[in-house]
Amino acid sequence: MEGLHVNAQSSQAGRVPSVGQFENTQGIADRMEALAIELRTMSDHELGTVPSKQTLAGLAGKIYSARRNVDEVFGMQGFAISPAWDIMLDLYQADCKGSQISVTSACIGAACPATTALRWLNALEEMLLIDRRPDSDDKRRFVVEISELGRLRVEQALRCHL
């Protein structure tokens, strides 16, 4: 108990925390981040709150800024409002879940005409952001996966929204 008291005093005096304190601090930070993410995914209705005009204006500014940053991350003006961004988000989610997306599903997820989605898939493949390969279960179709570069860019772009 005395050692704990000494650590608390040294921490309060501005000294470097002990390893145990750092692990505890990291655990708290991890839990706080998880709670923050959960809160951001909850709707105002679920929270029982009504956002103020200032809150909505701040959110609008954050979305606007984040979209410009997404464009910058991918080096293409308008990327954040293109079907390509929807495709990349869909493929990123599939990658996180360990699932595969067929070319047809990627086109549907792009929420645009199939010919437009196919052009975007070709462009993303040329940019080395996605990989296309034959489906191992059904040789008649192809699957699309996010590449390592694509994953890194999506994660960088998503950080713009936090």
Side-chain angles (χ1 to χ4, degrees), residues 1-130:
M1 188 73 156
E2 186 175 304
L4 182 61
H5 182 67
V6 170
N7 284 341
Q9 283 180 336
S10 65
S11 170
Q12 291 170 354
R15 294 192 180 110
V16 177
S18 69
V19 172
Q21 286 175 318
F22 176 77
E23 289 172 358
N24 188 38
T25 303
Q26 186 62 46
I28 292 169
D30 291 344
R31 288 195 310 268
M32 287 178 67
E33 182 179 5
L35 286 171
I37 290 168
E38 187 175 346
L39 280 172
R40 282 194 294 271
T41 62
M42 294 176 75
S43 69
D44 289 331
H45 178 71
E46 291 172 309
L47 290 172
T49 62
V50 177
S52 69
K53 195 167 195 152
Q54 290 171 325
T55 299
L56 293 175
L59 178 60
K62 186 156 183 70
I63 291 169
Y64 182 86
S65 175
R67 283 178 35 185
R68 298 294 76 76
N69 290 332
V70 169
D71 292 351
E72 188 176 310
V73 166
F74 286 94
M76 183 184 299
Q77 187 175 3
F79 190 90
I81 58 170
S82 72
W85 183 227
D86 289 338
I87 290 168
M88 294 302 293
L89 291 171
D90 193 24
L91 293 177
Y92 181 79
Q93 290 177 80
D95 184 66
C96 289
K97 294 175 187 174
S99 59
Q100 293 182 341
I101 301 284
S102 69
V103 168
T104 303
S105 294
C107 290
I108 293 168
C112 64
T115 53
T116 302
L118 288 170
R119 280 194 298 275
W120 275 112
L121 285 171
N122 287 333
L124 292 170
E125 192 171 20
E126 287 174 15
M127 296 167 70
L128 305 177
L129 298 172
I130 66 168

